[in-house]
Amino acid sequence: MYSDPAILQQLFGFSAFREGQKEAVESLLGGHSTLAIFPTGSGKSLCYQYVATQLPHLTLVVSPLLALMKDQLAFLRSKGIDAASIDSTLTPEQNKHVMNDVRSGRCKILMVSVERFKNERFRQFIESIQVSMLVIDEAHCISEWGHNFRPDYLKLPAYQKELDIPLVLLLTATATKKVKEDMASRFNIAPAHIIQTGFYRPNLNLHVRPVLEANKNQALFEEIHKQQGAGIVYVTLQNSAEDVARRLQQQGFTASAYHAGLDSDVRQKIQQEFMDNKVQVVVATIAFGMGIDKSDIRFVIHYDLPKSIENYSQEIGRGGRDGKVANCTVLANLDGLLTIENFVYGDTPDKSAIERVITDIQSQAPIEVKSSEHNSPQFYEKNNIYQWETQINSLSSASNIRQLPLKTLLVQLELANVIRPLYAYFAEYKFRFITGKEDILRLFSEERSRFLDAVFTHSTMKKVWGVVNFDSIYEQYGAERSRVVAALEYLNEHNHIELASRLITDVYQVNYPQLCAENLADRMAHYFADNEHKEVERIAALVGFFELNSCLSYNLSAYFDDTKAPKECGHCSVCLGKVAKLGYSTPIPLPDTAQVTEAVTALQSHLNGKFEGPLTLSVYCRFLTGMTMPLFTRFKVKQVKGFACCEHCRYADVKAVVSSIID
Ligand SMILES: [Zn+2]
């Protein structure tokens, strides 16, 4: 008996474990890595929090959202449990403090983002600590089958092995069967240690209301008039959030827009007003609801189609937490679908672009590594490794791959053992004097004063800001970069200078023979093509779901592999006799061949002699459908006649027309 209600009461003030919690705690304290799938708001976090207090060493929690971390830290501290995070908001002093507490064993729970592992200093630190358990929050991010795949999560199983952490807990609210199996297999979790509570929520009424774009606002007003109490309206774009909120206000509702473009204090204020029932309706993009704990949300309306079935389920899951009825309505048509689909295509890099990244990594190899290609394996073992430095911005622009897919590519190269991250640093430091230069120098004894003088003298002053020249300081004075940075930080802290740093530079170790493997670019291109396919399928599944002719509640539960839900809930729109058929408000046009030919020619002549890479099929398609890529920003392609002339067409149709022209 590992789960003790008396301890639960004493530490957390709860009298009993909720459904699933007890099983998860027993499994973990019995020494088994565990996967727990509980709906949002059902106390997932308590599983690790309780277990952490019973384990001998540190519990390391990986969480994707700073806001979620801060909420959990506040909760733990309110219970007197020592927990901390290492994140970007900490000062170097606070950081040191946390590390000391972890080292001494005072701090039992440490929360970090997955990106923290890229930092070599953090890896060294955590390697020197004994860790009892690794907890991965929102663990579905690890699966490429999941809706929120985060490439960096793929490295977590390797970290667990490297750090020799005996126990893993994966937490998620939404996982399909495939995602569940994928997560479990990556951490060798046996089926007996997968704990899943029922997915079906009898108090949520799921409705799909097909409506054409022109009638949407009217339909929205009607829907809200039927409701009592507070609710959320989900939209896709920040603009629509503002627009819909304004229209609701004009209709006499108290409504506020909420999206990531608002200042955090404004968002805070809206959340609070919503909690206090001063605002009835929040019109929100996906950003809303993460940290909110309002149990009496009576309705959730999707003004636009949700991004995926997973998103839909999380968003409606915020309704009716108090167990009373909540109405969840989707105002559905297919108009927004094209944009979602085109975005997917926009994120798939061309093979030629992937090759450019590989060439960039090769170009930094020292001559002796390059010329060693035909040498013996023994030579490789000693000499095949060198460092590659890159800035994501400039690499993105040089390779013409958008930043997010570029990061994915780098992770894939890492998983293929081609590169390995070492550390990151700021390439540029600049400062301006607050205290006069001579006054600063007078504050220090001889050697230090001479050193600082060298730092100042070897900086290039532009008006008020000076840019530090590390190379020149090293050559002339022999001072290492780290000493210079430490001195500048000190002066900044004591308000003698203002210090600014920019151009974050990532440093990787390169395995040259792997990098030169013949099919590397092909393998990477294949990976992206595969992903594109999965995404397009996911969108099709979403539309298919809303057009189902059998119970929506049952199918939603089944999608998440819970087969215990009733076959007919009796209260969704299908059970009530309304099967939805979604349509486009206007038919999708086919691309005009003459117009496309003209646009293609215009783009060719615009880029002629400027862009050094090949103009591939997808460059043309993205140009015609109005999607952006680094190349377009660099060469002001948006001004070229014909940009976005096919934005209302299907990507596949555009592709067919372009292929027939350029071949
Ligand atoms: Zn039903």
Side-chain angles (χ1 to χ4, degrees):
M1 189 68 179
Y2 296 108
S3 55
D4 187 341
I7 299 179
L8 181 71
Q9 176 73 49
Q10 183 203 334
L11 289 173
F12 296 98
F14 301 130
S15 56
F17 286 101
R18 287 204 244 168
E19 191 195 352
Q21 285 175 343
K22 187 171 149 61
E23 291 83 346
V25 167
E26 295 272 322
S27 167
L28 287 163
L29 290 176
H32 306 288
S33 287
T34 301
L35 163 59
I37 306 168
F38 301 168
T40 317
S42 60
K44 282 194 304 275
S45 318
L46 191 79
C47 299
Y48 85 76
Q49 290 162 346
Y50 179 91
V51 173
T53 62
Q54 308 299 306
L55 291 171
H57 309 296
L58 183 74
T59 290
L60 182 62
V61 183
V62 176
S63 176
L65 269 175
L66 195 61
L68 290 181
M69 274 193 231
K70 298 287 177 193
D71 281 353
Q72 295 185 12
L73 285 180
F75 171 79
L76 285 164
R77 284 177 189 151
S78 76
K79 304 291 172 195
I81 295 167
D82 235 311
S85 68
I86 293 186
D87 62 65
S88 53
T89 65
L90 264 54
T91 65
E93 280 304 304
Q94 290 171 317
N95 220 339
K96 212 178 284 171
H97 190 75
V98 169
M99 282 158 93
N100 284 338
D101 279 357
V102 169
R103 215 183 281 284
S104 72
R106 194 176 320 135
C107 173
K108 292 286 284 181
I109 299 174
L110 179 66
M111 314 192 81
V112 295
S113 71
V114 72
E115 287 80 16
R116 187 58 45 183
F117 286 93
K118 280 190 189 164
N119 184 315
E120 203 186 22
R121 280 169 65 193
F122 174 74
R123 287 211 306 264
Q124 274 171 357
F125 164 71
I126 207 77
E127 267 167 32
S128 70
I129 306 287
Q130 272 194 300
V131 182
S132 288
M133 175 167 70
L134 173 67
V135 179
I136 304 172
D137 207 359
E138 307 288 325
H140 54 268
C141 293
I142 198 175
S143 175
E144 289 163 89
W145 297 100
H147 66 298
N148 208 358
F149 171 56
R150 305 250 308 225
D152 282 323
Y153 271 63
L154 277 182
K155 294 182 287 185
L156 288 168
Y159 292 140
Q160 184 213 348
K161 286 198 190 84
E162 273 171 39
L163 297 170
D164 205 17
I165 305 173
L167 206 54
V168 177
L169 170 61
L170 307 180
L171 296 170
T172 181
T174 45
T176 60
K177 191 163 191 228
K178 226 169 194 166
V179 171
K180 184 162 82 173
E181 285 165 358
D182 193 15
M183 285 191 290
S185 79
R186 286 181 193 278
F187 288 95
N188 292 318
I189 295 172
H193 304 296
I194 299 176
I195 291 148
Q196 184 169 14
T197 59
F199 196 86
Y200 172 56
R201 305 249 324 259
N203 63 322
L204 298 187
N205 296 334
L206 311 189
H207 290 272
V208 181
R209 176 171 174 177
V211 54
L212 295 182
E213 209 54 33
N215 308 329
K216 226 179 204 177
N217 287 321
Q218 191 51 41
L220 177 70
F221 303 150
E222 287 168 17
E223 287 296 332
I224 299 185
H225 271 299
K226 282 194 260 172
Q227 313 297 336
Q228 280 169 346
I232 309 175
V233 175
Y234 279 108
V235 297
T236 308
L237 302 171
Q238 297 185 0
N239 273 347
S240 348
E242 302 277 356
D243 187 48
V244 172
R246 202 165 30 243
R247 284 168 196 274
L248 286 174
Q249 288 159 5
Q250 284 161 3
Q251 294 288 314
F253 296 105
T254 53
S256 293
Y258 183 102
H259 54 76
L262 298 170
D263 283 342
S264 71
D265 47 337
V266 175
R267 281 184 293 173
Q268 205 74 46
K269 184 170 163 274
I270 296 169
Q271 277 200 12
Q272 199 50 52
E273 287 174 345
F274 187 58
M275 294 295 286
D276 299 343
N277 293 320
K278 286 182 189 145
V279 165
Q280 187 201 358
V281 189
V282 171
V283 185
T285 58
I286 210 158
F288 187 71
M290 280 301 190
I292 227 173
D293 193 18
K294 185 173 171 65
S295 63
D296 59 349
I297 294 175
R298 294 275 74 89
F299 64 94
V300 177
I301 296 175
H302 281 88
Y303 185 86
D304 296 312
L305 278 186
K307 238 181 89 196
S308 64
I309 300 183
E310 288 85 345
N311 282 93
Y312 172 68
S313 117
Q314 278 186 348
E315 285 153 13
I316 61 169
R318 296 188 179 117
R321 293 269 174 85
D322 55 5
K324 293 180 192 155
V325 168
N327 293 311
C328 309
T329 307
V330 180
L331 303 177
N333 60 49
L334 299 179
D335 294 6
L337 214 56
L338 217 56
T339 323
I340 305 180
E341 251 179 39
N342 287 359
F343 267 119
V344 173
Y345 293 112
D347 267 350
T348 307
D350 284 322
K351 189 181 152 193
S352 63
I354 295 171
E355 280 165 345
R356 281 166 162 265
V357 173
I358 295 175
T359 312
D360 188 274
I361 307 176
Q362 284 170 340
S363 71
Q364 287 183 25
I367 293 162
E368 61 272 22
V369 169
K370 282 188 192 168
S371 61
S372 71
E373 264 181 82
H374 303 291
N375 276 341
S376 65
Q378 288 85 340
F379 179 88
Y380 283 144
E381 274 182 15
K382 275 186 243 136
N383 303 302
N384 62 357
I385 280 167
Y386 65 92
Q387 288 185 4
W388 170 59
E389 299 201 355
T390 189
Q391 285 157 4
I392 198 91
N393 279 327
S394 50
L395 185 63
S396 163
S397 144
S399 64
N400 196 27
I401 303 179
R402 278 152 41 108
Q403 286 205 18
L404 194 69
L406 181 58
K407 285 179 187 165
T408 307
L409 175 61
L410 294 180
V411 169
Q412 288 302 321
L413 288 173
E414 206 181 310
L415 291 168
N417 283 323
V418 175
I419 54 174
R420 182 182 155 81
L422 294 176
Y423 57 93
Y425 69 90
F426 288 103
E428 188 180 294
Y429 276 84
K430 57 179 193 173
F431 62 88
R432 66 179 186 85
F433 290 109
I434 297 172
T435 308
K437 176 181 157 185
E438 296 306 324
D439 291 333
I440 294 180
L441 295 178
R442 262 196 292 277
L443 292 170
F444 297 92
S445 61
E446 219 174 310
E447 196 276 337
R448 285 188 177 174
S449 168
R450 254 203 331 271
F451 161 65
L452 284 178
D453 194 30
V455 172
F456 295 148
T457 316
H458 291 284
S459 295
T460 317
M461 298 304 291
K462 292 169 186 165
K463 288 187 185 160
V464 287
W465 289 90
V467 178
V468 181
N469 186 340
F470 291 101
D471 289 342
S472 150
I473 299 168
Y474 184 75
E475 275 164 30
Q476 304 293 319
Y477 196 82
E480 296 280 352
R481 184 191 163 85
S482 54
R483 185 179 177 199
V484 178
V485 172
L488 292 168
E489 296 277 11
Y490 178 88
L491 293 177
N492 181 53
E493 235 168 77
H494 289 80
N495 225 16
H496 294 309
I497 61 169
E498 184 185 339
L499 186 64
S501 52
R502 55 180 218 108
L503 298 179
I504 185 117
T505 305
D506 291 303
V507 183
Y508 291 88
Q509 194 173 57
V510 181
N511 186 329
Y512 194 69
Q514 295 280 4
L515 178 67
C516 297
E518 219 173 284
N519 59 356
L520 184 62
D522 278 322
R523 260 154 53 210
M524 295 295 136
H526 181 79
Y527 168 83
F528 281 103
D530 206 36
N531 257 6
E532 181 180 283
H533 182 69
K534 279 180 204 158
E535 285 300 320
V536 172
E537 273 190 341
R538 201 195 312 284
I539 296 167
L542 177 77
V543 175
F545 177 80
F546 291 123
E547 292 187 332
L548 281 169
N549 58 9
S550 58
C551 176
L552 298 174
S553 308
Y554 175 78
N555 281 288
L556 187 63
S557 300
Y559 183 80
F560 294 111
D561 203 31
D562 170 15
T563 46
K564 289 187 212 100
K567 286 255 189 298
E568 285 181 4
C569 71
H571 54 89
C572 71
S573 47
V574 178
C575 284
L576 295 173
K578 284 184 201 141
V579 174
K581 182 79 194 115
L582 313 190
Y584 291 96
S585 300
T586 46
I588 298 182
L590 285 171
D592 178 299
T593 309
Q595 196 184 24
V596 170
T597 313
E598 204 181 311
V600 163
T601 316
L603 180 65
Q604 283 168 340
S605 65
H606 179 78
L607 289 176
N608 192 21
K610 285 186 200 158
F611 179 56
E612 56 283 11
L615 288 177
T616 57
L617 188 58
S618 63
V619 172
Y620 290 118
C621 291
R622 281 169 219 182
F623 170 69
L624 292 162
T625 52
M627 280 183 287
T628 171
M629 63 199 307
L631 152 74
F632 294 175
T633 326
R634 222 166 111 212
F635 298 114
K636 300 196 166 57
V637 162
K638 285 184 188 174
Q639 295 163 13
V640 178
K641 189 161 178 281
F643 178 78
C645 67
C646 300
E647 65 178 335
H648 300 296
C649 304
R650 269 214 177 82
Y651 191 93
D653 294 340
V654 175
K655 199 169 165 182
V657 174
V658 178
S659 325
S660 72
I661 294 174
I662 61 172
D663 281 345

